[in-house]
């Protein structure tokens, strides 16, 4: 059952707050990647290249955790445990430009037609926050 992102933490999506996405390797060990993250009001959205380790892990097991730390206060963060409910290439190129504009101030400069982009739509199932 989906849970909401606490309103007092929505500002993290306006800041250049990096996420750290944890996925599960085939042997059950965790794999963590720094990621840009977006929120559409219901789902967390992460963009990557099809075929990367996190992509292979998510396609095998959609259970993930995503920690987002406030760049202005490293003791303030949000941890979301969730399930990837959709993996799509539709709109992924436009989405990486949107993320790059937010995080870097320019459209994504490293596009490669041999590396197709995908969006992971993550349903939040549990949220833990720290407000220190």
């Amino acid at each position: 059952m989906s849970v909401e992102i606490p309103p007092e933490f929505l500002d993290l999506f306006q800041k250049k707050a990096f996420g750290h996405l944890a996925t599960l390797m085939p042997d059950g060990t965790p794999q963590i990647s720094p990621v840009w993250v977006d929120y559409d009001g219901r789902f967390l959205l992460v963009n990557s290249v099809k075929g990367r380790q996190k992509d292979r892990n998510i396609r095998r097991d959609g259970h993930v955790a995503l920690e987002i730390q406030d760049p202005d206060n490293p003791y303030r963060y949000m941890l979301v445990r969730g399930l990837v409910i959709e993996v799509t290439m539709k709109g992924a190129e436009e989405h990486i430009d949107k993320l790059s504009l937010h995080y870097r101030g320019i459209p994504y400069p490293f596009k490669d037609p041999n590396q197709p982009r995908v969006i992971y739509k993550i349903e939040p199932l549990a949220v833990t926050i720290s407000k220190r």
Side-chain angles (χ1 to χ4, degrees):
M1 183 165 165
S2 188
V3 298
E4 290 186 26
I5 300 299
E8 67 270 24
F9 278 77
L10 292 175
D11 67 302
L12 293 181
F13 301 105
Q14 305 308 312
K15 297 179 179 186
K16 294 178 182 178
F18 283 77
H20 297 93
L21 180 69
T23 63
L24 295 172
M25 296 291 288
D27 66 0
T29 58
Q31 187 267 342
I32 300 176
S33 301
V35 294
W36 294 338
V37 61
D38 193 11
Y39 183 60
D40 71 1
R42 183 167 176 207
F43 301 104
L44 299 168
L45 305 171
V46 173
N47 192 304
S48 187
V49 171
K50 184 177 180 182
R52 287 196 177 153
Q53 187 64 58
K54 67 180 152 286
D55 181 65
R56 295 191 310 268
N57 290 347
I58 287 169
R59 289 173 189 272
R60 190 188 63 263
D61 184 339
H63 293 90
V64 298
L66 181 66
E67 181 265 345
I68 305 168
Q69 184 179 45
D70 188 334
D72 300 322
N73 176 1
Y75 300 103
R76 181 176 178 259
Y77 63 88
M78 174 174 56
L79 171 65
V80 178
R81 290 187 312 276
L83 183 64
V84 175
I85 61 160
E86 183 180 357
V87 178
T88 182
M89 293 175 67
K90 183 178 181 184
E93 295 295 330
E94 295 82 6
H95 185 245
I96 195 63
D97 280 335
K98 175 185 174 190
L99 289 171
S100 186
L101 283 167
H102 175 74
Y103 283 91
R104 300 181 67 144
I106 59 172
Y108 191 67
F110 307 109
K111 289 185 180 177
D112 180 344
N114 297 315
Q115 295 184 328
R117 308 289 318 183
V118 294
I119 299 172
Y120 309 105
K121 186 183 287 189
I122 303 166
E123 178 182 16
L125 300 177
V127 176
T128 304
I129 57 172
S130 173
K131 301 185 212 182
R132 295 183 208 176

